[in-house]
Amino acid sequence: MGNVNVNIDGRKIRVREGSTILEAATANGITIPTLCHIKGQVPSGVCRVCVVEVEGSRTMMGACHTPVAEGMVIHSKSPKVIAVRKVIVELLLTAHTGDCVNDSNAENCALHNLASDYEVGAPHFNVRNPRFYPAEESNPYVKRDMSKCILCRKCVKVCGEVVRKDVLSIGYRGFRSKVVSGFDEALTAEACRDCLKCIEHCPTGALSAPARV
Amino acid sequence: MVPSKKEALSENGRAGLLPALKDRAGREGCLNRESMSGLAGQYHLPLNEVYGVSTFYAFLPVLPTGKNIIRVCRCLPCHLKDAQAVIGSIKKELGIAPGETSGDGKFSFELVSCIGACDQAPAMMINDKLYGDLTPAGIAEILKSYA
Ligand code: SF4
Ligand code: FES
């Protein structure tokens, strides 16, 4: 495969054909935020925070899953992109209903960090039934607090495609969607061992190492 | 690389899962842990995956249901034709809210996404039978035919 010429934020860039916009940007030191993307894995494109403007395109494009094309002119930080990204972060925050105030790990929450970078305040969308799930602490390796989960599906992906254990899937649909294990039950120590890969990839505090007692 | 369970089945097995779930649910009334584990084994899929597929589809009952399942459409066209009044009427007749099963086990009542009968809105299904152009007053009679 040959190379193609694109323009990102006014910079002329030559990249390998077939790269994604995200890869092209990252390789040239341009940062585009992501929440659901795992480098090297097939993109799922579900979180939408990586949206960018592509001139001539009717809609915004997800940088993590859109391949570059010859002559593409891309804006990753235009006022329009920033405005849209802010709303996306606000929407994600709306469904992220965990107890973050008491969470000693909150500074590691990529969503909160994005919200503060983009100056998104408290979300003002009204939610009829807030997503709430009791935290699951029965597994010795992974504590799951699904109220904080933003359904980025990274844990499902690493567990299935990287670790090849496949103990997590998405259950239900729409607003009720939830990452489930087994028959929607707490992760058992038989099913889930201590690879801790999902914790490493979870962008929020939904998955964490249980406090050692 | 060894394919993951999901990949190994992507060609044939996974495609067979949905018809198998539908068949099971039809014969046994609902899908429970036992039937899902059985199918998971048969299709070499993890139980969580079978559970995920089952809970995605409104027409695959996962919890125990009554003998007859009433599914009222809650999408926009039905809503605009006052499905709310029909829902109210069913509630009154059976004394149960959407998501519940009547005490005698005869009816389960659910709200579902579009059932493809927008031309006859407001519409509902009882088991496999479609009822369109519903009126709140007509509900009692329909339900009686299942008593
Ligand atoms: S638990 Fe974490 S990694 Fe898994 S889907 Fe939710 S936010 Fe993503
Ligand atoms: S990182 Fe691109 S959609 Fe989530």
Side-chain angles (χ1 to χ4, degrees), chain A residues 60-135:
Chain A
M60 297 225 163
M61 303 277 205
C64 71
H65 60 85
T66 306
V68 289
E70 178 61 38
M72 245 187 194
V73 182
I74 300 151
H75 303 280
S76 82
K77 297 178 179 56
S78 64
K80 188 170 158 194
V81 170
I82 304 292
V84 169
R85 231 176 247 161
K86 272 181 139 166
V87 178
I88 292 169
V89 171
E90 187 179 346
L91 282 165
L92 288 168
L93 273 180
T94 308
H96 173 75
T97 44
D99 177 14
C100 296
V101 182
N102 292 327
D103 185 351
S104 53
N105 253 331
E107 77 266 22
N108 297 328
C109 176
L111 181 58
H112 277 262
N113 292 340
L114 260 188
S116 84
D117 290 352
Y118 282 79
E119 296 179 342
V120 179
H124 55 264
F125 294 105
N126 287 322
V127 182
R128 226 177 290 159
N129 301 308
R131 294 171 76 239
F132 174 77
Y133 307 98

Side-chain angles (χ1 to χ4, degrees), chain B residues 39-103:
Chain B
L39 288 171
Q42 192 178 329
Y43 287 86
H44 305 281
L45 289 166
L47 174 61
N48 37 289
E49 192 63 20
V50 177
Y51 185 85
V53 172
S54 309
T55 54
F56 182 84
Y57 293 99
F59 279 72
L60 291 176
V62 171
L63 289 173
T65 51
K67 223 171 112 231
N68 302 295
I69 307 180
I70 306 171
R71 295 182 169 105
V72 180
C73 173
R74 58 153 173 227
C75 282
L76 190 62
C78 285
H79 185 77
L80 291 175
K81 296 278 266 178
D82 211 7
Q84 216 49 48
V86 170
I87 292 168
S89 171
I90 299 175
K91 270 189 188 165
K92 211 171 100 222
E93 279 307 315
L94 299 177
I96 52 171
E100 295 177 356
T101 296
S102 62

